[in-house]
Amino acid sequence: MKKILFFTSILFAITAYATPATQLHQQAVASAHPAATQAGLSVLNQGGNAFDAAIAVSAALAVVEPFGSGLGGGGFWLLHRQHDGKQVMIDGREVAPLAATRDMYLDSQGEPIKNASVDGALAAGIPGLPAALDHLAKHYGVLALSDSLQPAIKLAKDGFLVNEHYQRLAKFRQAVLASNDSAKAIFLSDGKVPALGTNIIQNDLANTLQLLATQGFDGFYSGELADKLVKGVQQAGGIWTKEDLARYTVKERLPVVAHYKNIKVTSAALPSSGGLVLSIALNILEQYDLSTMDEATRIHVVVEAMKRAYRDRALHMGDSDFVSVPVSELSEKSYAHTISKDLRLDEVTPSQHISGLNEIEGHDTTHFSVIDKRGNRVAATLSINYPFGSGFVPQGTGVLLNDEMDDFSIKPGTPNVYGLVGGEANAIAAGKRMLSSMSPTFIETEEKVGVLGTPGGSRIISMVLLGILDAEQGHSPESWVNLPRYHHQYLPDVIQHEPDTFKAETLLELTEKGHKLKSVGRHYGNMHAVLWDKKSNKLVAASDRRGSGAAIVESVPLSTAK
Ligand code: GLY
């Protein structure tokens, strides 16, 4: 691997990168859909800041990427406010309904009921995304929520065109979408996957967005819309009540901060495992000089770090408002040293073996990155979980509900749709947030600031890890987002990889070290990143070529907006 130091100076103080006097003459948005990127830019050009743009992009993605995220789902927005250096994670994760119980997806024999936590109304947690958008507008934006939601409302009324990506995911979820009249009418054509170029108009969703725009939180979580949501869910066998909606609360979390060589890495806090898993893996990897290793040894070491970090995810992590998670112990460098004592350069450390590698594509969920002309920034990863979530739309709402309940450990030791195994810490409980892998992340040195993240279920964290390692080696955002990908999540004990990630000789060497490898058959992830080089005061943005997103940097005059 080429050794060009991207972050040139090694010995920087790693706190306080806020520079209040920042004056960029550019702004950038990178997201998974051109219409969402444009929505963000248009709000910035109306005088909005990065947080207003984040509202616009989140809402636009809810319209044009219905398979990835939406008002019926949740997400995490990692914010940096430049004028005071505040960094916070807005936690708009879904919560389990109050009537949820630990064994609700198990049959009388204690076995998981097939697809019960994945398909239909019972699979849906209480959405957090609408509340989070209201929270962002109230506490961080400079525009009214109604202004930032306008581009999404227009997109919902005017429609968006079906592309191949939509077709592929609609085919994957065709059966469940066809089983619900509202979802079928919106997302399919006569029960079939719509033809390329079909215009998907969502008038009910436009009305729902309008309610949110004019009434904020109450427009979604109480009144007429809440009645429709609850009625629809209950009629379809779900357990939501109006109290669930009324009690939904956005949380502000302190992000997880790790230091890898000279880089400060800031990422998602629990209930996402992203920041902690990244921190454990980076603390292990910091003990090695990856740049001097041959390719197979480097990949082997990275895989062994992933495996150990994901093991801790399975064993210890859950919603820290409900269970005690040893966050500081897990984040210690000394802990990483202890758990990597048995890491050998020539031989694999086996995970306990379980079968059943799951092969979903990693195009569910979505990510976007924003930096505005003041240096405010947002990394946001949003989800309704599986492609098209639960496939269920309560009548008259246009809101496609998530199936995020599957991110709980339905039964300890039983893998979820991502093949992830969880433990007691992530068991279902009323009002609890399910463990996530979403990892919106900032990487910072004195001279550079990167904003990155990706969808991809359990593979999100390993993709972000590879992106950080690539950045440390001096490569550009274009490189971070397009890297060939590999992944190990402890169980199953196998390196999952894209078909063209490894050369034949590297595959052989990894096999000789004792690794099992499995191509996932296609590309996965859809990373979007922005880099700010403070020295040249220039932005660079990049969108993963696996997707059909848009990364745009624009020149702008300065204003007095924060
Ligand atoms: N539903 C994907 C995640 O939160 O990790």
Side-chain angles (χ1 to χ4, degrees), residues 531-558:
L531 174 71
W532 172 21
D533 181 342
K534 292 189 191 172
K535 221 166 161 190
S536 63
N537 213 14
K538 292 265 182 285
L539 298 179
V540 180
S543 277
D544 202 320
R545 65 172 84 100
R546 296 164 180 85
S548 44
I552 298 181
V553 178
E554 276 186 356
S555 294
V556 280
L558 270 175

Side-chain angles (χ1 to χ4, degrees), residues 193-212:
V193 173
L196 273 184
T198 303
N199 194 28
I200 305 281
I201 290 175
Q202 300 175 80
N203 284 322
D204 284 343
L205 181 59
N207 292 338
T208 296
L209 281 162
Q210 190 60 50
L211 276 175
L212 184 65

Side-chain angles (χ1 to χ4, degrees), residues 75-76 93-94 271-273 313 364-365 381-386 403-404 406-407 416-418 420 434-439 456-461:
F76 302 115
R93 183 67 163 165
E94 299 90 333
S272 175
S273 59
R313 182 192 197 281
D364 47 311
T365 309
T381 312
L382 318 174
S383 183
I384 50 172
N385 201 30
Y386 224 31
D403 55 357
E404 220 78 63
D406 191 65
D407 274 348
N416 73 358
V417 286
Y418 301 107
L420 279 172
M434 54 296 283
L435 190 62
S436 173
S437 300
M438 293 190 283
S439 310
S458 57
R459 300 184 195 126
I460 290 173
I461 312 171

Side-chain angles (χ1 to χ4, degrees), residues 243-367:
E243 191 187 349
D244 279 310
L245 289 170
R247 281 173 53 157
Y248 184 82
T249 311
V250 171
K251 305 264 171 126
E252 293 211 347
R253 313 271 186 194
L254 265 185
V256 171
V257 176
H259 298 291
Y260 175 68
K261 301 192 177 177
N262 67 322
I263 306 176
K264 177 186 175 193
V265 177
T266 307
S267 192
L270 293 169
S272 175
S273 59
L276 268 181
V277 172
L278 278 174
S279 163
I280 297 166
L282 289 168
N283 284 343
I284 294 173
L285 291 171
E286 201 177 37
Q287 302 169 80
Y288 300 89
D289 185 356
L290 298 177
S291 63
T292 56
M293 290 175 176
D294 64 79
E295 192 183 359
T297 307
R298 178 170 45 78
I299 291 161
H300 165 76
V301 171
V302 174
V303 162
E304 290 297 316
M306 287 177 183
K307 191 189 292 183
R308 284 161 175 79
Y310 273 90
R311 177 181 59 192
D312 285 328
R313 182 192 197 281
L315 293 182
H316 302 296
M317 296 183 204
D319 181 350
S320 53
D321 292 342
F322 279 73
V323 291
S324 162
V325 180
V327 173
S328 32
E329 289 89 329
L330 292 173
S331 318
E332 293 285 341
K333 297 220 185 256
S334 58
Y335 175 73
H337 291 187
T338 307
I339 60 169
S340 53
K341 275 205 178 102
D342 58 351
L343 197 165
R344 291 182 49 171
L345 293 187
D346 59 340
E347 202 176 80
V348 78
T349 316
S351 310
Q352 172 201 336
H353 179 77
I354 62 158
S355 59
L357 174 61
N358 196 294
E359 296 191 0
I360 70 157
E361 302 166 22
H363 283 300
D364 47 311
T365 309
T366 193
H367 175 85

